[in-house]
Amino acid sequence: MEICSVTFLPDNVTVKTEPGITIAGAARLAGIELKMPCGGEGSCGKCVVRLTKKGTTEELLACQTIVYEDIFVEVPQNVRLGEHQILLAETEQNFQTKYDFEPLCQKVAVRLSPPSLYENASDWTRLSCELSKAVGGKEVVPSLPVLQKMAHLLRKSDWHVSALLVAQNGFYELIDLQPGMATETIYGLAIDIGTTTIVIYLVDLVSGKVLGKAGTYNKQAAYGDDIITRIIHCQSPKGLKQLHDAVIDSITELTEQLLATSQVVGSKVYVITVAGNTTMIHLFLGMDPKFIRLDPYIPTAAQFPIVKGKELGLETTPEACVYCLPAVGSYVGGDIVAGVLSTGMNWADNLTLFIDIGTNGEIVLGNKEWLISCACSAGPAFEGSGITCGMRAMQGAIERVEINPVNFEVRYQTIEGTPPAGICGSGLIDCIAKLHRVGLIDRAGRFCELDKPVERLRKTDEGKEFVLAWDWETALGKDITLTEGDIQNLIRAKGAIFAGIQCLLKTVQLDFSSLERIYIAGGFGNYLNIADAIEIGLLPDLPHHLYRFVGNTSVRGAYLSLISQTALNAATEIGKKLTYLELSAGNNFMEEFISALFLPHTNLELFPNVKSTTVVRGGNSD
Ligand code: FES
């Protein structure tokens, strides 16, 4: 069969392939990861590459263009999975933790008295008795390889041995036995599997110290930006395997990088804890998530078995025991359980609201007495998707905007200060708050009719748009604009989160004034400007000191569970205790949502501080 060569630029990497593959498929073969927000359906228009053949160049969608001859493909920077701002850690919060240091894997040294004609219990009976005493009376069960070498090893080491114990459900498994007092360190990994990014901590299980942290893209992004697109991809032949392999590949690469930096060998990693949303955990474990998106939205499981790394394909850490934090339901997963665990809201006296803002907004309300949660689909606007010039929070993304209230000139700030390539979620919120504040948009998010023309506000065939950056300023040589459609998308996203908060509070017959602490979690939340988020009606109009950014609480929860069995048990308890409120069933979510589709809300009394600062301009500002 004829073979085609596809050369990717500016990388200058060539792959040889049979005709019939898409450019996106060829890029994958070449090790070039493209952003594929719609999973290659051809509907998002974001995977545009420049194709050169026989002296002509044209712009085409990588996911829809079939290779049938030799071509050169230029992949612009904004189409690549680039350096996302990956939140490796929790913020500098002094969360108090009441969980004792009791790692999931421990090394215990014991000394036995030799057997005699009068003390003639078996070697294992005598050893297990000593080991059990050392671990607070819990049962210890031996693995077969340990039993096979035990008799000789005990005698050679003069009855002084070190045992390697791994916590199982309610007991310990003895996985290795070494002579004398073994001094080598043992390690564990705490992993956060996010829909967009993956973060791993390498932990010394003797001291509990985090030796290294690393983050990367979840390679599943090549099959779609959001979990629904990925679940749909699972239904294609090999779809589930592709998504499982993608997440395992991402974890393996990151683990290898962390181990190499810390000069640790993979065989010394004995335990791994994993937190992630319910779909991510299904895909990680190779379970079909199909029914998560179908009414009545049922996951295969909410608690997961302890498995070995090799069963999942984790080749770098094949013998490690892998523990996944429990989920609450299809849309409130182990990452949220980890968030509750790490903020300590499950033992707080204060009424606390926890919000993880992303494609799905997951919200938990409660204290040590009770916890209730819900998830609302905010859509991808906060991730920069579904927005004309939207992009993720990466280099070149506009993240802050100022608009002069007199001449409407714009000043912006981009991530890493490079020329703008688009606008990310925090920039969007900032921009819409400022457009509203200076009176350029009304409360429904429509551009106002003004007395004088504004150079940056123009009409196109699709409607009005506001120019944030002119073509000569930008990295792409095109204007960066915000359309009325973009503003509507963001208003729907913020409306869904706010309506979710309202539903939870009303379900327990409380209101905003009852809230004593509000935690904002997740990568996006960390870059949020509280004043702007309140101004557009995303967050309740409450004193700013009640708000705290808590960063990546998912990886912190996984870390706590790794170094403390009490914390892991608490995570299980949280999973059981958290009541899940299904917003699509028998409550007033739709009413709340519709009421929230204004800036900041139809009921201005809910936003007294915003009400007092709103500028009214033109004829349709209300
Ligand atoms: S159009 Fe190609 S990934 Fe969406």
Side-chain angles (χ1 to χ4, degrees), residues 359-386:
T359 306
N360 265 333
E362 290 111 335
I363 307 165
V364 184
L365 176 71
N367 54 26
K368 66 181 179 190
E369 308 288 343
W370 53 271
L371 293 164
I372 183 168
S373 65
C374 71
C376 35
S377 175
F382 292 131
E383 315 271 353
S385 252

Short mmCIF file of all heavy atoms in Angstrom, two decimals, residues 359-386:
data_model
loop_
_atom_site.label_atom_id
_atom_site.label_comp_id
_atom_site.label_asym_id
_atom_site.label_seq_id
_atom_site.Cartn_x
_atom_site.Cartn_y
_atom_site.Cartn_z
N THR A 359 -15.86 22.77 34.68
CA THR A 359 -16.93 22.48 33.73
C THR A 359 -18.18 22.07 34.49
O THR A 359 -19.30 22.40 34.13
CB THR A 359 -16.49 21.35 32.78
OG1 THR A 359 -15.27 21.75 32.22
CG2 THR A 359 -17.50 21.12 31.69
N ASN A 360 -17.96 21.31 35.56
CA ASN A 360 -19.03 21.05 36.50
C ASN A 360 -18.73 21.85 37.75
O ASN A 360 -17.59 21.88 38.19
CB ASN A 360 -19.06 19.57 36.89
CG ASN A 360 -20.03 18.81 36.04
OD1 ASN A 360 -20.99 19.35 35.53
ND2 ASN A 360 -19.76 17.53 35.88
N GLY A 361 -19.76 22.47 38.30
CA GLY A 361 -19.55 23.12 39.59
C GLY A 361 -20.02 22.15 40.65
O GLY A 361 -21.19 21.76 40.67
N GLU A 362 -19.10 21.69 41.50
CA GLU A 362 -19.50 20.81 42.59
C GLU A 362 -19.52 21.62 43.86
O GLU A 362 -18.58 22.37 44.14
CB GLU A 362 -18.52 19.63 42.73
CG GLU A 362 -18.61 18.64 41.59
CD GLU A 362 -17.37 18.65 40.70
OE1 GLU A 362 -16.68 19.69 40.67
OE2 GLU A 362 -17.11 17.64 40.05
N ILE A 363 -20.61 21.47 44.61
CA ILE A 363 -20.82 22.33 45.77
C ILE A 363 -21.16 21.44 46.97
O ILE A 363 -21.96 20.51 46.85
CB ILE A 363 -21.97 23.32 45.52
CG1 ILE A 363 -21.72 24.09 44.21
CG2 ILE A 363 -22.14 24.28 46.67
CD1 ILE A 363 -22.95 24.81 43.69
N VAL A 364 -20.54 21.74 48.12
CA VAL A 364 -20.86 21.01 49.35
C VAL A 364 -21.20 22.04 50.42
O VAL A 364 -20.51 23.07 50.53
CB VAL A 364 -19.67 20.15 49.83
CG1 VAL A 364 -20.07 19.34 51.07
CG2 VAL A 364 -19.18 19.21 48.74
N LEU A 365 -22.21 21.76 51.18
CA LEU A 365 -22.62 22.65 52.27
C LEU A 365 -22.72 21.80 53.53
O LEU A 365 -23.22 20.68 53.47
CB LEU A 365 -24.00 23.25 51.94
CG LEU A 365 -24.66 24.14 53.00
CD1 LEU A 365 -23.91 25.46 53.13
CD2 LEU A 365 -26.12 24.40 52.63
N GLY A 366 -22.25 22.34 54.65
CA GLY A 366 -22.44 21.59 55.89
C GLY A 366 -21.42 21.90 56.95
O GLY A 366 -20.69 22.90 56.90
N ASN A 367 -21.35 21.01 57.91
CA ASN A 367 -20.41 21.12 59.02
C ASN A 367 -20.22 19.71 59.60
O ASN A 367 -20.50 18.74 58.90
CB ASN A 367 -20.94 22.10 60.08
CG ASN A 367 -22.34 21.73 60.55
OD1 ASN A 367 -22.74 20.56 60.49
ND2 ASN A 367 -23.10 22.70 61.01
N LYS A 368 -19.78 19.62 60.87
CA LYS A 368 -19.50 18.28 61.41
C LYS A 368 -20.77 17.45 61.60
O LYS A 368 -20.71 16.23 61.72
CB LYS A 368 -18.72 18.39 62.71
CG LYS A 368 -19.49 19.03 63.83
CD LYS A 368 -18.63 19.11 65.06
CE LYS A 368 -19.40 19.77 66.19
NZ LYS A 368 -18.56 20.08 67.34
N GLU A 369 -21.92 18.13 61.65
CA GLU A 369 -23.17 17.40 61.87
C GLU A 369 -23.73 16.78 60.60
O GLU A 369 -24.25 15.68 60.61
CB GLU A 369 -24.26 18.34 62.44
CG GLU A 369 -23.85 19.13 63.66
CD GLU A 369 -23.75 18.25 64.89
OE1 GLU A 369 -24.30 17.14 64.86
OE2 GLU A 369 -23.08 18.66 65.86
N TRP A 370 -23.66 17.54 59.50
CA TRP A 370 -24.29 17.08 58.24
C TRP A 370 -23.58 17.69 57.05
O TRP A 370 -22.94 18.74 57.15
CB TRP A 370 -25.78 17.44 58.21
CG TRP A 370 -26.05 18.90 58.47
CD1 TRP A 370 -26.26 19.49 59.68
CD2 TRP A 370 -26.09 19.96 57.50
NE1 TRP A 370 -26.43 20.84 59.53
CE2 TRP A 370 -26.34 21.16 58.20
CE3 TRP A 370 -25.96 20.02 56.12
CZ2 TRP A 370 -26.45 22.40 57.58
CZ3 TRP A 370 -26.07 21.25 55.49
CH2 TRP A 370 -26.31 22.42 56.21
N LEU A 371 -23.70 17.03 55.92
CA LEU A 371 -23.09 17.52 54.67
C LEU A 371 -24.05 17.21 53.53
O LEU A 371 -24.58 16.11 53.43
CB LEU A 371 -21.75 16.81 54.41
CG LEU A 371 -20.60 17.10 55.38
CD1 LEU A 371 -19.51 16.05 55.22
CD2 LEU A 371 -20.01 18.49 55.13
N ILE A 372 -24.25 18.20 52.67
CA ILE A 372 -25.12 17.98 51.51
C ILE A 372 -24.38 18.53 50.28
O ILE A 372 -23.66 19.53 50.38
CB ILE A 372 -26.51 18.65 51.73
CG1 ILE A 372 -27.44 18.36 50.55
CG2 ILE A 372 -26.40 20.13 51.98
CD1 ILE A 372 -28.90 18.72 50.84
N SER A 373 -24.56 17.87 49.15
CA SER A 373 -23.79 18.29 47.98
C SER A 373 -24.67 18.27 46.73
O SER A 373 -25.71 17.62 46.69
CB SER A 373 -22.62 17.33 47.76
OG SER A 373 -23.11 16.05 47.46
N CYS A 374 -24.21 18.97 45.72
CA CYS A 374 -24.86 18.88 44.41
C CYS A 374 -23.81 19.20 43.35
O CYS A 374 -22.71 19.66 43.65
CB CYS A 374 -26.03 19.86 44.30
SG CYS A 374 -25.55 21.59 44.21
N ALA A 375 -24.16 18.92 42.11
CA ALA A 375 -23.28 19.25 40.99
C ALA A 375 -24.13 19.92 39.93
O ALA A 375 -25.23 19.46 39.65
CB ALA A 375 -22.64 17.98 40.44
N CYS A 376 -23.62 21.01 39.38
CA CYS A 376 -24.38 21.65 38.32
C CYS A 376 -23.48 21.80 37.10
O CYS A 376 -22.30 22.12 37.23
CB CYS A 376 -24.94 22.99 38.77
SG CYS A 376 -23.90 23.89 39.86
N SER A 377 -24.06 21.57 35.96
CA SER A 377 -23.28 21.63 34.74
C SER A 377 -23.14 23.09 34.32
O SER A 377 -24.09 23.73 33.91
CB SER A 377 -24.00 20.84 33.64
OG SER A 377 -23.28 21.01 32.46
N ALA A 378 -21.92 23.60 34.49
CA ALA A 378 -21.68 25.00 34.17
C ALA A 378 -21.27 25.17 32.71
O ALA A 378 -21.19 26.28 32.21
CB ALA A 378 -20.61 25.56 35.10
N GLY A 379 -20.98 24.05 32.05
CA GLY A 379 -20.48 24.17 30.67
C GLY A 379 -19.02 24.57 30.70
O GLY A 379 -18.45 24.88 31.76
N PRO A 380 -18.40 24.60 29.53
CA PRO A 380 -16.94 24.78 29.51
C PRO A 380 -16.47 26.24 29.49
O PRO A 380 -15.29 26.49 29.31
CB PRO A 380 -16.56 24.07 28.20
CG PRO A 380 -17.75 24.22 27.32
CD PRO A 380 -18.95 24.30 28.21
N ALA A 381 -17.39 27.22 29.69
CA ALA A 381 -16.98 28.61 29.53
C ALA A 381 -15.84 29.01 30.48
O ALA A 381 -14.93 29.74 30.10
CB ALA A 381 -18.18 29.53 29.75
N PHE A 382 -15.89 28.51 31.73
CA PHE A 382 -14.83 28.89 32.68
C PHE A 382 -13.47 28.34 32.27
O PHE A 382 -12.43 28.80 32.74
CB PHE A 382 -15.16 28.38 34.10
CG PHE A 382 -16.34 29.07 34.72
CD1 PHE A 382 -17.36 28.33 35.30
CD2 PHE A 382 -16.44 30.45 34.72
CE1 PHE A 382 -18.45 28.96 35.87
CE2 PHE A 382 -17.53 31.10 35.30
CZ PHE A 382 -18.54 30.35 35.87
N GLU A 383 -13.48 27.31 31.42
CA GLU A 383 -12.21 26.75 30.93
C GLU A 383 -11.83 27.43 29.61
O GLU A 383 -10.89 27.01 28.94
CB GLU A 383 -12.35 25.24 30.68
CG GLU A 383 -13.05 24.46 31.78
CD GLU A 383 -12.10 23.96 32.83
OE1 GLU A 383 -10.89 24.12 32.63
OE2 GLU A 383 -12.56 23.46 33.85
N GLY A 384 -12.60 28.44 29.21
CA GLY A 384 -12.29 29.16 27.96
C GLY A 384 -12.87 28.49 26.72
O GLY A 384 -12.69 28.97 25.61
N SER A 385 -13.62 27.39 26.92
CA SER A 385 -14.19 26.69 25.76
C SER A 385 -15.57 27.27 25.44
O SER A 385 -16.24 27.80 26.32
CB SER A 385 -14.36 25.21 26.10
OG SER A 385 -13.42 24.46 25.41
N GLY A 386 -15.99 27.15 24.17
CA GLY A 386 -17.29 27.67 23.79
C GLY A 386 -17.31 29.18 23.75
O GLY A 386 -18.37 29.80 23.69
#
